Amino acid sequence: MWIPRPVHEDALARLRPYAEVATGYGPGATSFDEVSDRVAAVLLRTVRVDGTMMRRAPRLRIVARHGVGLDTVDVDTAKELGIAVTTTPTANSRSVAEHAVALLLAVRRGIGVAVRNEGDTRTAIRGRELSGATLGLVGFGRIAREVATIAGHGFGMRVMAHDPMMPAADITAAGAEPAHLATLLSRADNLSLHVPLVEGTRHLIGLPELLALPEGAVVVNTSRGGILDESALLDAVRRGHLAGAGLDVTAVEPLPDDHPLRDEPSVVITPHTGAQTEEALRRMATEAADHILAHLAA
Ligand code: NAD
């Protein structure tokens, strides 16, 4: 099998007893062309596997994706050639959820301001506790559910959720209050976004939605950059309507050094590191390895 970019070492240890593992990196780095005549499986992180590559690999049976998102795989050609394509959709949910809460805490407690340490930081900061505050979740899938558990059980927050595709009873059973978007926005002291980026969700949160939040609200985005209109966010922060924002994802990544959001002390920005934990990286890689082993054994 071929692994083009480094993945957690546990996945390689799991695969090596069963098959030759060629890597596209490190000593003896091997290109796809060098293995295409015999490769049965590809464990894919970021590199693209297109239709031409698939057609050049007569023994290829599975492309196992590390993480979610199939933008790097030509799914149509895979289907045509009978090549399985798998993902690991739940492997990083907990890590991203913890990151969303970390960003919320960082903004609420002025940690970005404190780290900059400009002027009399100590007296300039007046943080807010999460306990007793309301958290509005837009999207209530895998990551949002984890956020709801941490925020509700861990911090004693009131959790509301808007997800038109999710039965209200499921949202209630998971410890959150189902709400229409307008209701949620009017009550959410803290808003966290957890929807996929599709045409219907692009700029789902723009200036009208941000101004519908209570004054002093905080917005966290760990989903995809295009969901939150960043110009509107900047405007709402500069007007003083929002107390700040935490962003793990932006429309352009990495966010340029001279982007005006970087000049806002109340905006904490991380470079898409929500899933970058030892646990998530291990789960994504070993689950992908297990998909390969199960598929080749079948
Ligand atoms: P998921 O598919 O489990 O949940 C998404 C939910 O959004 C679904 O329940 C769906 O019904 C709901 N939804 C769709 N359109 C909606 C709308 N218009 N309004 C409200 N709800 C809507 O996805 P997930 O695994 O929880 O991931 C959520 C987001 O996090 C995705 O954008 C994903 O790309 C992103 N993500 C980011 C990182 C990171 O490193 N920051 C890592 C993994 C995933």
Side-chain angles (χ1 to χ4, degrees):
M1 59 199 65
W2 186 60
I3 305 181
R5 291 276 183 277
V7 297
H8 197 283
E9 51 282 5
D10 285 5
L12 279 83
R14 201 167 283 200
L15 291 168
R16 280 202 170 109
Y18 300 97
E20 174 204 344
V21 177
T23 59
Y25 57 90
T30 309
S31 69
F32 185 77
D33 283 347
E34 290 173 84
V35 293
S36 60
D37 59 339
R38 61 184 189 282
V39 69
V42 175
L43 198 167
L44 194 68
R45 193 163 169 191
T46 49
V47 171
R48 188 167 167 73
V49 172
D50 59 29
T52 315
M53 291 166 79
M54 291 179 194
R55 290 187 198 286
R56 285 208 313 268
R59 296 177 185 217
L60 185 59
R61 291 181 55 200
I62 176 168
V63 175
R65 177 87 170 76
H66 176 290
V68 282
L70 292 172
D71 40 323
T72 55
V73 186
D74 183 338
V75 183
D76 292 336
T77 305
K79 199 170 175 191
E80 180 195 324
L81 299 176
I83 298 167
V85 179
T86 60
T87 61
T88 60
T90 57
N92 61 21
S93 305
R94 179 70 191 193
S95 290
V96 180
E98 290 189 9
H99 197 76
V101 177
L103 286 172
L104 180 57
L105 279 170
V107 178
R108 279 296 182 204
R109 301 307 301 271
I111 288 172
V113 176
V115 169
R116 286 183 186 217
N117 198 23
E118 294 160 353
D120 188 0
T121 302
R122 183 160 187 251
T123 53
I125 290 174
R126 185 174 293 195
R128 297 291 302 268
E129 293 183 350
L130 300 188
S131 174
T134 298
L135 173 65
L137 300 172
V138 180
F140 200 66
R142 297 172 287 252
I143 296 171
R145 281 164 183 266
E146 295 280 354
V147 175
T149 304
I150 301 167
H153 295 180
F155 288 98
M157 300 183 84
R158 175 184 178 191
V159 182
M160 301 176 77
H162 167 69
D163 190 324
M165 270 68 84
M166 193 67 68
D170 287 6
I171 296 177
T172 310
E177 298 169 39
H180 292 296
L181 186 59
T183 311
L184 179 136
L185 292 172
S186 71
R187 310 232 175 105
D189 312 311
N190 306 280
L191 185 75
S192 192
L193 309 181
H194 302 285
V195 295
L197 178 60
V198 291
E199 266 327 299
T201 59
R202 187 171 293 279
H203 287 187
L204 181 66
I205 304 298
L207 194 59
E209 289 74 26
L210 294 173
L211 296 181
L213 292 165
E215 190 146 1
V218 165
V219 176
V220 169
N221 188 12
T222 56
S223 59
R224 284 290 179 261
I227 291 159
L228 173 64
D229 179 346
E230 285 159 12
S231 312
L233 178 73
L234 188 64
D235 189 358
V237 169
R238 284 184 174 164
R239 287 182 195 207
H241 184 73
L242 296 181
L247 308 176
D248 187 45
V249 288
T250 47
V252 176
E253 294 183 4
L255 191 68
D257 287 345
D258 61 355
H259 193 285
L261 278 171
R262 290 206 185 272
D263 295 331
E264 296 300 323
S266 63
V267 178
V268 176
I269 300 165
T270 51
H272 208 139
T273 51
Q276 292 294 115
T277 63
E278 165 70 15
E279 291 81 3
L281 292 169
R282 187 193 306 116
R283 279 195 297 265
M284 286 190 279
T286 56
E287 284 180 21
D290 287 346
H291 291 152
I292 290 174
L293 293 177
H295 198 78
L296 296 186

